[in-house]
Amino acid sequence: MKRLHTMLITVVPEIAQHAQDSGVDTLFIDMETRGKAERQGHLDTHKSAHTYVDVARIAAVLTRAELLVRINPPWEGTSAEVDAAIDAGAQRLMLPMFRSVAEVIEFKRAVAGRIPVTLLVETAASLARLPLIVPLLETDDRIHFGLNDLCIDMRLDFLFEVLGGRLLDGPAAFCREAGVPFGIGGVGCLGNGMVPAEWILSEHVRLGSEWVILSRAFHGGADTLAALKARLDLAVELASLQRCYQELALTGPSTLEANQASLALRAAAINVQHQPQKVA
């Protein structure tokens, strides 16, 4: 049975090793800094301070899980960043905030087939140009749809409006038909969140997504393994996530459609709640 592959952001070797042993598929080092604070400064999202030293430290403890490094958006230093990340031990590179086919071509040229890549589709331009971008991918390359920045770039007010408005239905179908594996955004622990994680997982099943980033609900910013273990049993939470994903995969389309409608209504309601109140 198909399973949902998970990614966890950490630079703590003990946590990375524990996550691998608990079933996490990819450890995620986030080196994106250029422009991110300006875009997401108002959001409660991960703000990177990771280094190539962190990449090497995490690479040294992994035996099964993949090590992914997100570099900066395209700029004149991309090629040097690619080389440095690979030299430090990256096994996959993620390119964020690209907008053009030319930027993808330059990135792929810099990587030169040394390791697979994930293209983070999180701009309206990259979403529209997906049919031109997907043919550039090679075996083991992936697409990931980033909800936070798609929401910002599309001038929406709440990240799950992207799913509520079914804006990924076409792009997801295109990836499926092209045989390109893809993932979508992040997810929290079951039973938590303004939008239930179960509805989000239902969208992963409905759209055919195979990858997701584990939100900070899974680690709470813990900087030691003891702090993480005091917060939750990661293996148990991951098993619950997988069980829910697989149960949803066995349901009929009507259930998935009903869940999508519920998510859309909840996202719209949250959006209304967060609108500024007019003063008479």
Side-chain angles (χ1 to χ4, degrees):
M1 179 179 291
K2 185 177 289 188
R3 61 187 295 271
L4 185 64
H5 298 84
T6 55
M7 297 182 277
L8 181 74
I9 298 174
T10 186
V11 291
V12 182
E14 294 80 8
I15 292 178
Q17 194 166 22
H18 175 67
Q20 172 184 256
D21 294 342
S22 298
V24 170
D25 299 282
T26 295
L27 276 300
F28 190 140
I29 301 291
D30 187 6
M31 298 189 65
E32 181 190 0
T33 56
R34 294 175 61 85
K36 189 168 185 179
E38 291 79 3
R39 296 194 318 271
Q40 298 188 7
H42 63 296
L43 299 175
D44 183 23
T45 57
H46 174 77
K47 307 298 190 300
S48 171
H50 299 173
T51 68
Y52 296 117
V53 172
D54 292 320
V55 176
R57 290 169 65 226
I58 298 300
V61 301
L62 297 184
T63 56
R64 296 188 306 280
E66 174 187 64
L67 177 56
L68 176 150
V69 176
R70 175 162 61 187
I71 62 172
N72 278 303
W75 68 300
E76 60 269 21
T78 293
S79 182
E81 286 192 14
V82 165
D83 289 342
I86 293 175
D87 288 346
Q91 297 173 319
R92 176 180 293 271
L93 292 180
M94 175 182 278
L95 181 70
M97 292 303 296
F98 65 92
R99 297 181 183 274
S100 71
V101 175
E103 288 172 333
V104 174
I105 291 172
E106 284 302 310
F107 172 61
K108 290 285 290 178
R109 182 177 294 132
V111 176
R114 287 175 286 177
I115 57 176
V117 305
T118 293
L119 300 181
L120 184 56
V121 175
E122 53 183 350
T123 65
S126 62
L127 198 66
R129 292 164 179 158
L130 196 63
L132 301 176
I133 290 165
V134 162
L136 302 174
L137 301 181
E138 301 170 80
T139 303
D140 295 329
D141 289 346
R142 297 198 296 263
I143 293 287
H144 199 85
F145 296 100
L147 299 184
N148 274 311
D149 276 307
L150 269 176
C151 171
I152 294 168
D153 206 53
M154 292 179 169
R155 301 192 178 187
L156 301 173
D157 295 304
F158 181 53
L159 76 163
F160 289 120
E161 287 186 275
V162 176
L163 294 177
R166 305 184 76 131
L167 301 181
L168 296 184
D169 282 35
F174 186 84
C175 287
R176 292 196 308 271
E177 291 163 7
V180 174
F182 66 92
I184 299 172
V187 69
C189 298
L190 296 185
N192 293 322
M194 291 188 290
V195 174
E198 291 83 350
W199 293 351
I200 297 167
L201 291 177
S202 183
E203 280 294 271
H204 280 266
V205 172
R206 187 181 71 83
L207 294 171
S209 166
E210 300 177 47
W211 290 84
V212 70
I213 300 169
L214 300 174
S215 77
R216 276 184 290 175
F218 283 90
H219 57 79
D223 55 7
T224 67
L225 180 55
L228 175 64
K229 287 184 173 181
R231 181 179 179 84
L232 86 174
D233 188 321
L234 183 58
V236 169
E237 293 293 342
L238 288 174
S240 297
L241 204 69
Q242 292 293 349
R243 185 163 55 251
C244 180
Y245 178 81
Q246 291 169 357
E247 287 173 355
L248 285 163
L250 295 174
T251 65
S254 61
T255 299
L256 301 179
E257 290 291 340
N259 289 341
Q260 195 283 329
S262 297
L263 184 152
L265 288 172
R266 178 66 59 85
I270 290 170
N271 178 30
V272 169
Q273 291 168 11
H274 285 77
Q275 292 299 314
Q277 297 298 309
K278 292 183 179 179
V279 179

